[in-house]
């Protein structure tokens, strides 16, 4: 149906433009055959002027209709979202929060927690990126010091992130917290695992972390966890405990 309307508009546009710039030619082509003596019945100059005026009004009307249709089509187009920040280019949306704590890694997997996949890492061989200073600290419902939360907050004067050699990115269930980190270093590889669980209860038995923090959780939060190594990453590969390489994320300024 839209092509029919478009063809009709083009046809009317041609007729109106013809009448605007060559009203005499239009009359001779479209109307002269209706009379036996076209020369004797040719319209006056005033009639041609009126035809020219009406054709001009028709052209303007078509332009107004076309402009309105174009504006309406633009309004229906999906509007672009807000500009993607450098942090979102690196780690995706929403912006991750930071585990601003001194993490003491284990050298063996702990029992009873959930091994969350590591989605990427970023090295600090050339100094810590400035964007980390602007990230919000990880918390749940405003609480940034949950019982069982991995690491320690330090003395409050210097961010523990300053001593780290890299950060890893994980997405854990919304109401669960990073509980433990495992780091195994060698001359050629750095193997890392991050374990999630529920916070420790103030009283009573420990909760079932595996049941409470399913890997298939629909609602998750993105977290960056700083890790201090025995030395720079250098040429070593970063892997999970299964030996699979973890993607490296370049710094975007």
């Amino acid at each position: 149906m839209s092509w029919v309307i478009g063809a009709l508009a083009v046809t009317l546009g041609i007729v109106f433009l013809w009448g605007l710039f060559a009203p005499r030619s239009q009359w001779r082509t479209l109307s002269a055959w209706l009379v036996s003596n076209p020369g004797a019945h040719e319209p006056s100059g005033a009639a041609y002027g009126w035809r020219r005026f009406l054709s001009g009004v028709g052209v303007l009307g078509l332009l107004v209709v076309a402009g309105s249709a174009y504006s309406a089509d633009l309004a229906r187009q999906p509007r672009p979202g807000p500009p993607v920040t450098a942090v979102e280019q690196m780690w995706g949306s929403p912006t991750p929060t930071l585990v601003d704590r001194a993490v003491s890694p284990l050298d063996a997997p702990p029992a009873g927690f959930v091994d969350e996949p590591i989605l990427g890492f970023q090295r600090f061989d050339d100094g810590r990126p400035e964007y980390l200073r602007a990230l919000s600290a990880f918390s749940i419902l405003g609480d940034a010091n949950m019982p069982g939360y991995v690491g320690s907050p330090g003395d409050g004067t210097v961010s523990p992130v300053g001593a780290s050699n890299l950060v890893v990115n994980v997405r854990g269930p919304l109401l669960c917290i990073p509980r433990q980190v495992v780091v195994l270093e060698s001359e050629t590889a750095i193997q890392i695992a991050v374990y999630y669980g529920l916070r420790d209860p103030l009283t009573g038995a420990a909760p079932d972390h595996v049941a409470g923090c399913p890997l298939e959780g629909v609602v998750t939060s993105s977290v960056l966890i700083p890790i201090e190594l025995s030395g720079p990453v250098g040429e070593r590969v970063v892997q999970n405990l299964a030996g699979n390489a973890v993607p490296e994320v370049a710094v975007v300024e």
Side-chain angles (χ1 to χ4, degrees):
M1 189 65 180
S2 59
W3 69 269
V4 174
I5 297 175
L8 179 60
V10 171
T11 302
L12 288 176
I14 294 173
V15 172
F16 287 144
L17 289 173
W18 189 10
L20 178 63
F21 293 106
R24 187 186 301 273
S25 171
Q26 186 184 65
W27 180 84
R28 288 179 177 176
T29 302
L30 300 180
S31 303
W33 63 273
L34 295 174
V35 297
S36 58
N37 187 357
H41 294 85
E42 183 175 347
S44 64
Y48 282 133
W50 181 249
R51 182 186 292 267
R52 192 188 301 272
F53 172 76
L54 293 178
S55 296
V57 171
V59 170
L60 290 176
L62 283 178
L63 290 176
V64 170
V65 172
S68 299
Y70 180 71
S71 298
D73 184 64
L74 284 180
R76 288 192 295 268
Q77 296 297 323
R79 298 187 178 183
V84 177
T85 65
V87 176
E88 289 175 338
Q89 291 181 52
M90 292 182 284
W91 304 110
S93 180
T95 301
T97 54
L98 178 68
V99 176
D100 193 10
R101 297 168 72 87
V103 177
S104 298
L106 304 177
D107 57 7
F113 297 116
V114 179
D115 183 2
E116 290 290 344
I118 298 177
L119 305 179
F121 82 96
Q122 190 172 81
R123 69 179 70 205
F124 299 162
D125 289 354
D126 299 323
R128 181 181 60 172
E130 288 298 318
Y131 78 85
L132 290 174
R133 300 178 184 270
L135 293 182
S136 301
F138 174 74
S139 66
I140 294 181
L141 303 177
D143 185 2
N145 192 28
M146 296 75 66
Y149 185 20
V150 68
S152 59
D155 59 10
T157 60
V158 179
S159 172
V161 181
S164 59
N165 300 95
L166 56 80
V167 292
V168 294
N169 177 232
V170 295
R171 287 181 177 267
L174 188 60
L175 296 180
C176 296
I177 61 176
R179 296 288 308 234
Q180 297 289 350
V181 172
V182 172
V183 176
L184 304 177
E185 295 188 64
S186 70
E187 294 182 356
T188 59
I190 303 167
Q191 294 186 318
I192 304 174
V194 176
Y195 293 86
Y196 264 62
L198 298 169
R199 68 179 73 190
D200 289 336
L202 298 179
T203 59
D208 185 341
H209 303 287
V210 175
C213 303
L215 285 173
E216 301 81 12
V218 176
V219 183
T220 60
S221 63
S222 179
V223 177
L224 295 182
I225 302 176
I227 297 175
E228 182 179 1
L229 304 173
S230 60
V233 176
E235 298 299 322
R236 294 183 291 177
V237 296
V238 177
Q239 305 171 329
N240 59 23
L241 296 187
N244 300 317
V246 175
E248 181 170 6
V249 178
V251 176
V252 177
E253 300 293 346

